[in-house]
Amino acid sequence: YDPSSLDGQFVKLTGDQTVDGTKTFSSNIVGNVTGYASLNLPLTGGTMTGAITAIRETQISLGVGSAIDLSLGNLFTKSINSSTTFSVLNCLSSGTSNSFILELVNAGSFTITWFSGIKWAEGIAPILTASGVDVLGFYSYDGGVTWKGLVLGNDMK
């Protein structure tokens, strides 16, 4: 099978197919998947083994909103200019890891109300920078019921 002969066309692969002599696509994807920045890999009903490289996520600016929609990506940015209440939407089901990074500007100048279920170090939400950038990371493995909140960097310069 030579995929270059079908450039720009949709191809449905059924059963085991070898593409470029190096990658096998079937109900199970085996081997390394590299260099496919826009490749969607539907894994429903199958499994995938091997390394995945060159996956890119889109940076999402929350603008005036404060809903972190995980169906859009996993890097969110927001400049805080008033009290803000964050929420998280579209978490994957329990048993699948959800994670994202949240970069906030001037978050220490206003009241931040966090989404429910966050477990912070020592049980205390971090003190954020009044004039500067803070980077926080979050992950959940129970469908977004419980989150671990981590400060990745305060007052990043």
Side-chain angles (χ1 to χ4, degrees), residues 4 11 32 42 48 94 113-114 153 157:
S4 64
V11 178
N32 295 333
M48 184 169 171
S94 184
T113 303
W114 297 103
K157 300 201 185 292

Side-chain angles (χ1 to χ4, degrees), residues 17-63:
Q17 299 287 325
T18 301
V19 179
D20 294 337
T22 58
K23 294 161 182 74
T24 301
F25 292 81
S26 66
S27 60
N28 296 318
I29 298 173
V30 179
N32 295 333
V33 179
T34 60
Y36 296 98
S38 62
L39 180 64
N40 290 326
L41 297 172
L43 298 178
T44 303
T47 59
M48 184 169 171
T49 60
I52 300 175
T53 61
I55 291 179
R56 296 170 179 90
E57 289 287 348
T58 303
Q59 176 187 348
I60 308 297
S61 173
L62 294 176

